[in-house]
Amino acid sequence: MNDFLIYLMQSAFCLAALYLIYWLFLRKDTFFRANRFYLISSLFLSFTLPLFKVPVFYSDPEVTYVVILETVNVTAENISSGIMNNWTIYQTLLIIYLTGVVLFLIRFIFQLFQLFWIINKYGVAEENGLKIVKLEKNFSSFSYFNYVFLSESITSDENRNEIIKHEMAHIQQHHSLDLIILELFIVFQWFNPVIWLYKFSLKGIHEFLADDKLLSSGTNKLFYQTLLLNQLVGIQINDLTNNFNQSLIKQRFIMMTKIKSKGKAKWKYILPVPVTVLLIAFFAVNLNQNTFASEVKEEGKVPETTNSQKDLANQKENTDGAIFVVVEDMPKFPGGEQALRQFLKDNMTYPEEARKKGIQGRVFITFIVEKDGSLTNFKVIRGIGHGCDEEAIRVVKMMPKWKPGKQRGKEVRVQFNLPIVFALNKNAEITNEKEIVRYVKVDVQPEYPGGKEALFKFIAENIKYPEDARKEKLEGKVIIAFTVLKDGSVGNLKITKGMGYSLDEEAMRVIRLLKFKPGKLDGEAVNVVMSLPIEFKLK
């Protein structure tokens, strides 16, 4: 799914979760200032939380080996014939969303101009340093920033003074700024019903604050309530204003007569903290779908490190304690991979509990190969339990010293990830004999019929440069990981680096058409993960 649409859904969910806290625990309290701060801050928090990314690495359970292919260049030829094929449901949703954004933005701008038009039409009078705009009788009184709009229906000086005091409370506490902020959030979350609940609640809090200030200054409560009831009629200009006759009369009367909340009730404002942590954990975790293979090669070559890995290497190269992930000369088990497989086979015992329950699967162990070849910092990064994790750690700790990794000719510390596969012998009954534990690496890589040139030719003939990306002059690389299944078909496609603008979907569409010769391990076809970068260029 398009990353932007995912972000919108995540922010909408955050809004709902944080508003639920307000509705269940805070709305009935008289901590009006705290509630106002909570609602405004939760708006910003909901739009910020999904932007946090915490890298968490895991392995696809079908991964056995990763192959990095050469980059495929795509030019902007035969674009028109591929426009309809590139249309997706996500583009439709994006168009609907952007249409709503434009309409609500126009609505927001119209409301601003409407206020300016009213000010220009009726004029502004200065009274004791206040900017007063006198309206016709059919309008209700309201305020907007430092302007007070008074209806001509107010004939009593006493009533007029109280209404001005009420509106001045809105002005002094900058409630109009809250409403501007809220309207901008509505523009981007117009589809979310929770944002409208925020609006209802925030405008109510504004009135509670203004009422509380007037009553605290000595205004008679009964007189003030009668004034509110008498001012219920009248046209409200728009949603950017604080209206004196705002419709929450019943709630306002309740809050006026309610006993002030006790200080100990403020503990409830701690509730957003664990909820925020949960939201980060649930939404903002960036699952980097990499496999924990010991080495990632193509034709015996170590792939290019990512920019972040290069930066890390450059920053730590002269530091004795630097830990590398990919180096020029990777660590090696004495005797090579065949010796490693034999070591695991000779020393691993299938846990009795796992044997009885038929448990099979991969355990991924990470450890550091030190400069002298010794192994430290053993951890299970993905396990299957039932004693298999502990057995894998036990045997790995028994390993002799490795040939250390090297970077620019110098021994360095290297973090190494080792997958160990626990597999019950297909034809064996459960006995006390040791079962075979295999270190998985394919002997024969998947191959496209005709080789790389045929693969590149097929992609060049079938891929189309998306029209929206071409119009935006968007260029870049899309990297897709996929599994070549045992029958040679392609499955489990995942975007590991995307560009959006339909480039991702188009790359995925073409890769789904591919058919490979499957990879083989010990003569049998196996699932193999491959990673294919496709570079889109306009020239």
Side-chain angles (χ1 to χ4, degrees):
M1 182 180 285
N2 185 281
D3 288 343
F4 180 66
L5 294 180
I6 293 175
Y7 166 77
L8 286 177
M9 293 302 103
Q10 290 179 350
S11 61
F13 187 89
C14 291
L15 278 171
L18 294 173
Y19 184 79
L20 185 62
I21 293 177
Y22 169 79
W23 183 258
L24 293 177
F25 302 104
L26 307 177
R27 66 185 175 94
K28 293 183 179 180
D29 290 330
T30 59
F31 301 125
F32 303 134
R33 288 183 178 83
N35 282 348
R36 176 194 178 193
F37 176 79
Y38 175 82
L39 288 179
I40 292 295
S41 60
S42 62
L43 285 173
F44 286 98
L45 193 61
S46 296
F47 278 72
T48 304
L49 283 179
L51 299 177
F52 285 99
K53 299 297 176 186
V54 181
V56 176
F57 297 93
Y58 70 89
S59 173
D60 189 315
E62 287 299 319
V63 170
T64 55
Y65 193 68
V66 178
V67 180
I68 307 297
L69 299 181
E70 295 177 4
T71 297
V72 177
N73 295 320
V74 180
T75 59
E77 296 178 355
N78 301 321
I79 293 172
S80 59
S81 61
I83 293 176
M84 294 304 298
N85 292 332
N86 293 324
W87 197 262
T88 68
I89 184 62
Y90 307 121
Q91 288 177 299
T92 303
L93 291 175
L94 186 61
I95 289 175
I96 294 173
Y97 168 75
L98 292 177
T99 301
V101 169
V102 171
L103 291 176
F104 278 89
L105 184 60
I106 292 173
R107 170 181 172 271
F108 172 68
I109 295 173
F110 172 77
Q111 290 183 109
L112 290 176
F113 276 105
Q114 187 181 32
L115 291 171
F116 292 137
W117 178 81
I118 289 174
I119 293 172
N120 183 65
K121 177 181 178 181
Y122 292 101
V124 179
E126 294 284 344
E127 293 185 17
N128 299 323
L130 294 178
K131 294 181 178 180
I132 304 294
V133 180
K134 295 182 180 179
L135 304 176
E136 296 173 2
K137 292 182 178 181
N138 56 328
F139 289 101
S140 66
S141 300
F142 63 91
S143 62
Y144 178 72
F145 283 100
N146 59 340
Y147 289 89
V148 176
F149 298 77
L150 293 177
S151 173
E152 289 185 352
S153 63
I154 305 171
T155 56
S156 168
D157 289 340
E158 186 177 13
N159 291 348
R160 187 174 185 275
N161 291 336
E162 293 301 322
I163 292 175
I164 289 177
K165 289 180 182 179
H166 176 93
E167 300 305 334
M168 279 300 299
H170 287 305
I171 294 172
Q172 293 169 356
Q173 296 176 18
H174 308 290
H175 293 168
S176 293
L177 180 60
D178 291 359
L179 297 180
I180 291 292
I181 293 172
L182 185 59
E183 285 296 321
L184 290 175
F185 278 109
I186 288 176
V187 168
F188 294 101
Q189 281 278 325
W190 59 267
F191 60 92
N192 184 5
V194 176
I195 197 70
W196 300 96
L197 295 177
Y198 265 89
K199 179 178 181 178
F200 176 81
S201 297
L202 187 60
K203 296 194 78 169
I205 290 174
H206 287 170
E207 299 306 322
F208 299 154
L209 284 166
D211 295 341
D212 185 64
K213 184 168 185 178
L214 255 71
L215 296 178
S216 299
S217 66
T219 298
N220 181 272
K221 184 184 299 182
L222 182 59
F223 167 77
Y224 184 63
Q225 291 175 339
T226 303
L227 178 61
L228 287 175
L229 291 173
N230 292 335
Q231 294 294 319
L232 280 177
V233 295
I235 300 173
Q236 298 185 15
I237 299 298
N238 60 45
D239 291 334
L240 294 181
T241 62
N242 291 110
N243 292 80
F244 183 76
N245 67 339
Q246 210 262 355
S247 60
L248 294 170
I249 293 297
K250 181 179 178 181
Q251 290 89 332
R252 291 169 70 178
F253 282 11
I254 291 173
M255 287 299 181
M256 288 181 200
T257 58
K258 191 172 185 178
I259 298 175
K260 295 292 184 181
S261 300
K262 296 181 179 179
K264 63 181 181 180
K266 290 185 178 180
W267 67 267
K268 291 182 285 188
Y269 290 93
I270 302 176
L271 289 174
V273 176
V275 172
T276 299
V277 173
L278 288 175
L279 289 172
I280 292 176
F282 192 71
F283 282 115
V285 172
N286 181 28
L287 297 178
N288 189 348
Q289 300 172 350
N290 292 326
T291 59
F292 289 102
S294 60
E295 294 184 59
V296 183
K297 296 182 179 180
E298 184 220 351
E299 298 181 351
K301 298 179 182 179
V302 177
E304 289 187 14
T305 58
T306 63
N307 289 335
S308 60
Q309 290 171 335
K310 288 180 179 178
D311 293 341
L312 182 62
N314 291 335
Q315 292 172 4
K316 296 186 176 180
E317 185 174 356
N318 296 323
T319 306
D320 292 339
I323 299 174
F324 291 78
V325 177
V326 178
V327 291
E328 296 168 352
D329 188 3
M330 293 293 289
K332 293 181 177 63
F333 185 85
E337 292 185 5
Q338 187 62 39
L340 173 60
R341 294 165 70 176
Q342 188 64 42
F343 177 88
L344 295 173
K345 178 181 177 181
D346 293 342
N347 292 277
M348 196 79 67
T349 301
Y350 216 109
E352 187 67 19
E353 179 186 355
R355 285 161 44 85
K356 289 181 178 179
K357 295 183 178 181
I359 300 299
Q360 302 183 87
R362 290 177 179 84
V363 176
F364 290 90
I365 307 295
T366 184
F367 53 87
I368 294 175
V369 180
E370 300 289 349
K371 295 179 180 180
D372 62 355
S374 61
L375 308 183
T376 62
N377 294 40
F378 304 91
K379 294 180 182 178
V380 175
I381 50 180
R382 186 174 184 269
I384 58 176
H386 302 280
C388 295
D389 304 351
E390 293 79 3
E391 178 65 10
I393 286 286
R394 182 188 69 82
V395 175
V396 171
K397 287 183 177 180
M398 293 172 53
M399 287 183 181
K401 287 187 175 182
W402 289 43
K403 178 182 177 182
K406 291 184 178 181
Q407 181 75 0
R408 297 187 180 181
K410 295 182 179 180
E411 286 82 5
V412 292
R413 304 176 72 201
V414 180
Q415 182 174 344
F416 199 91
N417 300 313
L418 176 64
I420 299 177
V421 176
F422 286 80
L424 292 166
N425 212 338
K426 292 181 180 179
N427 301 319
E429 297 180 1
I430 297 178
T431 66
N432 291 327
E433 296 179 2
K434 294 179 179 179
E435 299 291 347
I436 297 175
V437 182
R438 297 181 290 129
Y439 169 59
V440 179
K441 179 180 184 297
V442 293
D443 301 320
V444 179
Q445 298 179 10
E447 182 182 0
Y448 187 80
K452 293 180 181 179
E453 293 299 324
L455 172 61
F456 296 160
K457 181 179 178 181
F458 177 88
I459 294 175
E461 290 176 350
N462 288 274
I463 205 162
K464 308 295 180 184
Y465 213 110
E467 180 67 8
D468 57 346
R470 188 175 70 88
K471 288 182 178 180
E472 294 295 329
K473 297 182 179 180
L474 189 68
E475 297 178 314
K477 185 180 293 184
V478 176
I479 301 177
I480 299 178
F482 57 95
T483 301
V484 177
L485 303 175
K486 295 178 182 180
D487 63 355
S489 62
V490 173
N492 301 331
L493 282 76
K494 298 172 184 175
I495 300 287
T496 57
K497 179 186 177 184
M499 293 291 296
Y501 283 86
S502 302
L503 296 175
D504 301 352
E505 289 81 4
E506 176 60 9
M508 296 267 281
R509 181 187 69 81
V510 174
I511 288 179
R512 286 193 181 97
L513 302 175
L514 299 176
K515 183 79 173 182
F516 288 78
K517 295 178 181 178
K520 292 185 178 181
L521 176 66
D522 297 333
E524 294 184 4
V526 292
N527 295 341
V528 180
V529 163
M530 305 183 74
S531 180
L532 177 63
I534 299 178
E535 187 166 5
F536 289 84
K537 289 185 177 180
L538 290 169
K539 295 181 180 180

